[in-house]
Amino acid sequence: MAVLELKNVQKKYGTGAAEVVALDQINFKANEGEVVLIMGPSGAGKSTFLTVAGSLQKPSSGQVKVDGKNIAEISPAESNNLRLQEIGFVLQSYNLVPFLTVEEQFELVRRVKKTGNLNDAALKKLLAQLGITNLVDKYPSALSGGQQQRAAIARALYANPEILLADEPTASLDSKNVDEVGQLFKDLAKDYNKVVILVTHDPRLEQYADHIYEMMDGKMTKKR
Ligand SMILES: Nc1ncnc2c1ncn2[C@@H]1O[C@H](COP(=O)(O)OP(=O)(O)OP(=O)(O)O)[C@@H](O)[C@H]1O
Ligand SMILES: [Mg+2]
């Protein structure tokens, strides 16, 4: 069964002359163990796709199914729970909390989601893989863009989600770090049966992907 499925999804913003069709009849499926790239120019609808797929916003029409459940039909409480338990986000703006150190970002996750997070050994390994072990006492403002990006990836993965949705997760990374992060995403998918969906402009990530989709004017085409 597909872990994530979108059927005939449309998302419109605004009304009348100001209406924008950001997602135009999207059909999409991702299975466990897969790394999927979503590519395409600015304004194509990539971030909209990710936020609708992750139930941060509802589609105007069509179905979004996570583990076979249509998220339009579940209550707001269930929807919150689904996001908390199953879905990890790395948003375009990293969304680290500015007044918390890196270590405290994980503590925040622990307060909100009390069980099912990585254990200490697994977190330690993750921080080492991302090269941020020595940065845990720092505040986001003291980190470079690439370090913030890796901290945001670590925070999303710490909650051990079934589905990881990441918006431009390598935008600030140099080639070496892109390879580390690409390999990490691939290992997560293969070794832990996760679904990893990455919005990216970065052709360096293509070698880690099972499938690649191109978005253009709200439409999605499968390339691989
Ligand atoms: N909250 C919003 N209200 C109105 N229009 C929006 C909103 N968010 C996005 N749009 C419009 O929807 C379209 C798709 O935007 P989206 O952010 O999904 O593009 P994107 O592919 O992520 O672009 P980028 O690569 O620049 O991040 C654009 O035309 C955008 O202007
Ligand atoms: Mg975007």
Side-chain angles (χ1 to χ4, degrees):
M1 187 181 66
V3 175
L4 176 64
E5 184 170 11
L6 280 75
K7 281 187 176 171
N8 299 321
V9 165
Q10 194 172 51
K11 177 68 185 177
K12 292 177 181 171
Y13 294 113
T15 51
E19 184 180 281
V20 175
V21 180
L23 298 179
D24 192 2
Q25 299 298 326
I26 301 283
N27 287 293
F28 175 89
K29 266 187 195 180
N31 299 310
E32 56 179 36
E34 289 180 349
V35 177
V36 180
L37 296 194
I38 313 284
M39 307 185 87
S42 183
K46 305 181 300 297
S47 296
T48 303
F49 171 81
L50 220 55
T51 51
V52 168
S55 96
L56 281 178
Q57 41 174 0
K58 291 210 183 299
S60 308
S61 61
Q63 294 190 339
V64 179
K65 289 183 169 181
V66 177
D67 289 332
K69 258 193 220 165
N70 185 357
I71 61 173
E73 287 165 1
I74 63 181
S75 68
E78 279 181 290
S79 176
N80 284 339
N81 198 43
L82 177 87
R83 276 202 302 275
L84 189 62
Q85 301 296 336
E86 318 253 355
I87 300 175
F89 283 100
V90 181
L91 296 178
Q92 216 164 357
S93 48
Y94 316 151
N95 61 314
L96 293 170
V97 182
F99 51 84
L100 298 180
T101 65
V102 173
E103 173 56 33
E104 288 164 347
Q105 312 274 337
F106 300 117
E107 201 176 311
L108 179 65
V109 174
R110 274 197 294 279
R111 275 171 198 241
V112 182
K113 176 171 178 276
K114 302 208 181 325
T115 57
N117 302 314
L118 297 186
N119 63 30
D120 287 349
L123 175 59
K124 208 173 156 200
K125 182 177 166 202
L126 178 66
L127 295 175
Q129 277 175 303
L130 288 165
I132 54 173
T133 304
N134 298 328
L135 303 176
V136 290
D137 293 328
K138 299 205 176 211
Y139 290 93
S141 59
L143 303 178
S144 71
Q147 290 168 339
Q148 288 182 45
Q149 199 150 39
R150 283 175 283 148
I153 292 169
R155 191 186 53 183
L157 294 179
Y158 173 63
N160 202 11
E162 188 184 6
I163 303 173
L164 178 75
L165 302 172
D167 206 341
E168 296 281 4
T170 60
S172 309
L173 302 185
D174 58 26
S175 292
K176 179 174 163 286
N177 277 310
V178 170
D179 280 327
E180 301 277 338
V181 167
Q183 191 61 49
L184 175 67
F185 288 146
K186 187 171 170 178
D187 292 347
L188 272 175
K190 304 302 164 200
D191 299 345
Y192 299 97
N193 280 322
K194 310 284 187 189
V195 177
V196 178
I197 300 182
L198 309 172
V199 162
T200 188
H201 287 103
D202 197 335
R204 294 173 297 183
L205 283 175
E206 286 178 12
Q207 58 178 308
Y208 302 102
D210 298 290
H211 298 292
I212 300 178
Y213 290 80
E214 176 86 21
M215 281 203 80
M216 186 74 88
D217 297 334
K219 293 191 171 63
M220 198 176 232
T221 318
K222 193 170 184 179
K223 295 284 173 189
R224 181 201 281 177

